[in-house]
Amino acid sequence: MRDLAAGFGYLVKGQRWVARHRRWWGFGMLPALITLVGYVAALVALFFWTDDIVAWATPFADDWSHPWVGLFRGALAVLLVGTSLLLAVITFTAVTLLVGQPFYESLSERVDLSVGGTAPESGLPLWRELLIGAREGLALVIRVAIWAVLLFALGFLPFIGQTLIPALGFCVSGFFLAEELTAVALARRGVLLKARLRMLRGRRMLTLGFGVPLTLLFLIPFVAVLLMPGAVAGATLLVRDLTGEDADLDPAAPAGEPAAPADALSGRP
């Protein structure tokens, strides 16, 4: 419970940071706003075409008697919309970070400087960072797609599919949302995707405490735009906890834990 509360605390601290630095907050909303317009258009189209998509995907149910065909296709429509919303929450962050990458990296550096006085850098040339980012982005999309298919299939289970599976879906979304946001600061520290995932799993409750509330808030379209700059700032503060950099500054961090060297975190030899 302590880690859950600490994770949520970093989300709040990030919003407070951008509230004190309003110029960063204002610029940080622009990439999120551009991305939101595209996502809203796609989700509205999906909403109007959901029944047609479900009917096209289930031709075998055309001859079923009423009300079974309606109940079956209605449940599939709910699952399709729900899965699409969860995927939208996860990919919204990834696309927004891609659109606003230079700004969000600068914002993360500024947070590091304001808290610790230094801003770690990967030391890699730009082309190498872009190559690693593209490769890791594809790997993360594959992981998210596998989870989405699995959760969609489990949604057909009686009772569990309508209760436990949606809750699990929010936890999965929160975890990957936290990964995407912390990647901005961890990539500057030379931490690769596998090492990032290992770090977040090692502090699972801390990660979920940050990511799950943000996932729920991001379901409200314009709220996602307002909170995005603070989410990046909060994720940077969370990274400082994960790496032990704030062990002597933040009472929520484990006392006496030294900062881990970049090479040890990155997974590189």
Side-chain angles (χ1 to χ4, degrees), residues 31 54 63 70 72 92 104 111 115 117 119 122 140 152-153 161 177 179 203 225:
V54 170
D63 297 329
F72 175 70
F92 173 85
Y104 290 126
V111 173
V115 175
S122 66
L140 192 64
F152 183 82
L177 182 59
E179 194 287 325
R203 301 287 300 279
V225 175

Side-chain angles (χ1 to χ4, degrees), residues 144-228:
V144 171
I146 292 173
W147 271 104
V149 171
L150 178 61
L151 292 172
F152 183 82
L154 292 175
F156 290 100
L157 295 176
F159 183 70
I160 295 177
Q162 293 75 47
T163 54
L164 180 61
I165 300 306
L168 178 60
F170 280 114
C171 290
V172 171
S173 299
F175 181 88
F176 283 112
L177 182 59
E179 194 287 325
E180 289 170 341
L181 289 166
T182 54
V184 177
L186 285 173
R188 288 192 294 105
R189 289 160 168 81
V191 185
L192 301 180
L193 176 61
K194 289 184 179 180
R196 294 201 301 267
L197 292 173
R198 188 164 57 248
M199 291 174 65
L200 294 174
R201 292 191 192 105
R203 301 287 300 279
R204 198 182 304 271
M205 291 297 101
L206 182 71
T207 303
L208 294 179
F210 179 84
V212 173
L214 196 58
T215 298
L216 295 172
L217 290 169
F218 272 20
L219 289 175
I220 308 172
F222 193 66
V223 171
V225 175
L226 294 174
L227 297 184
M228 189 64 187

